[in-house]
Amino acid sequence: MKIVLCGPPHSGKSCLREGLKQAIRRVDGAPYPYVITACPDGEGAWFSETVGRNPDEARQLKMAYKSQFTNDFAAVRAKWVKDCLEPLTLVDVGGKIDPKNRLIMQHATHAVILAGEMAKVAEWEGFCRQLNLKIIAIIHSDYEGKCDAIECESPILRGSVHYLERGEDVSSRPMVQVLARVLVGLSNGG
C-alpha cells in the first residue's frame, strides 16, 4: 500500500505524517510505516523530532533543506513512490493540485485527504479519483479545536483532528489512532 497524505497547504500533513508513523508503530502486527517526503518544504521525517528538541535549529535546517518544486524533484519522488516495495508507505505531498503532484501521486494506491478548509475537499477528491486512488479518509484539520471527532469509520473514515502543530506529539489523538488501525488493517489484507 502506498498512501498519499494530501490536501490544501497548511493543513498539517507533515504533522499528521509524523504522528501517524508513531501510532502505526504501536499497533500489534503492523508493518513498518515507511515514509516518502515528496514535497520540497524541507520538512523531512527528521523535522518534528528536531522541533521538539531545538526549534531554532529546526527552522535553520528546514531553510537549508528547502528546495524548489521542480520537474526534476517531482520525477525523482515519483520514481521513489513507483519503485517502493514496502508493505505500508506514507507519501507526504505538497498542497497543490498540479502536474508535479499528479506525477508523484499516480504511483500510489490510496489517499488520505486532510484539509483545514473543508470547502477544498471536493477538488482533492476529484484529483484523487482521476488518479484512481482509493480514498481511505477525509479529515478536517481543526487547528483551533480542543478534541478530535470520529464521524464514521466506513466506508471512508471521516471526522476531525485538532491542533496539528509542529513539535506536538499527536500520535495518541483519537483520529490518528483510528487512522493508524485502518491503515494497518488494510495493509494486512483486512
Side-chain angles (χ1 to χ4, degrees):
M1 283 185 39
K2 300 173 188 181
I3 301 109
V4 174
L5 303 177
C6 63
H10 311 295
S11 294
K13 294 180 294 293
S14 296
C15 295
L16 176 64
R17 174 201 69 212
E18 185 60 27
L20 192 54
K21 179 180 175 183
Q22 299 308 319
I24 290 169
R25 293 181 73 188
R26 292 192 292 261
V27 175
D28 286 338
Y32 181 78
Y34 185 74
V35 173
I36 295 175
T37 303
C39 50
D41 65 3
E43 289 189 24
W46 57 271
F47 185 75
S48 290
E49 183 178 325
T50 307
V51 166
R53 192 181 69 245
N54 186 330
D56 290 332
E57 179 185 22
R59 279 189 287 281
Q60 291 171 2
L61 289 171
K62 177 179 176 173
M63 293 313 295
Y65 290 124
K66 192 170 187 162
S67 63
Q68 296 296 315
F69 201 15
T70 64
N71 290 329
D72 288 341
F73 179 97
V76 167
R77 288 354 180 244
K79 183 168 177 20
W80 290 356
V81 175
K82 179 182 178 194
D83 293 346
C84 185
L85 299 176
E86 298 298 322
L88 178 55
T89 302
L90 303 174
V91 183
D92 184 4
V93 298
K96 294 183 180 175
I97 294 174
D98 64 12
K100 294 175 189 104
N101 272 336
R102 179 180 303 277
L103 181 67
I104 294 165
M105 292 169 60
Q106 72 181 336
H107 301 295
T109 57
H110 297 76
V112 170
I113 300 172
L114 179 69
E117 296 177 55
M118 293 306 284
K120 303 224 177 212
V121 167
E123 62 189 276
W124 281 95
E125 283 181 287
F127 189 51
C128 291
R129 287 195 176 102
Q130 288 173 8
L131 296 169
N132 295 314
L133 300 179
K134 181 176 182 187
I135 299 170
I136 298 169
I138 297 173
I139 303 169
H140 176 220
S141 179
D142 184 3
Y143 188 77
E144 301 297 326
K146 302 297 181 211
C147 61
D148 291 7
I150 312 297
E151 294 169 13
C152 70
E153 292 186 33
S154 183
I156 296 174
L157 175 60
R158 292 180 186 270
S160 66
V161 62
H162 74 286
Y163 193 64
L164 292 175
E165 176 64 37
R166 290 175 182 89
E168 289 283 317
D169 179 2
V170 302
S171 64
S172 62
R173 305 267 172 88
M175 176 56 80
V176 177
Q177 292 282 309
V178 170
L179 181 56
R181 288 192 302 271
V182 166
L183 295 181
V184 170
L186 288 170
S187 70
N188 287 337

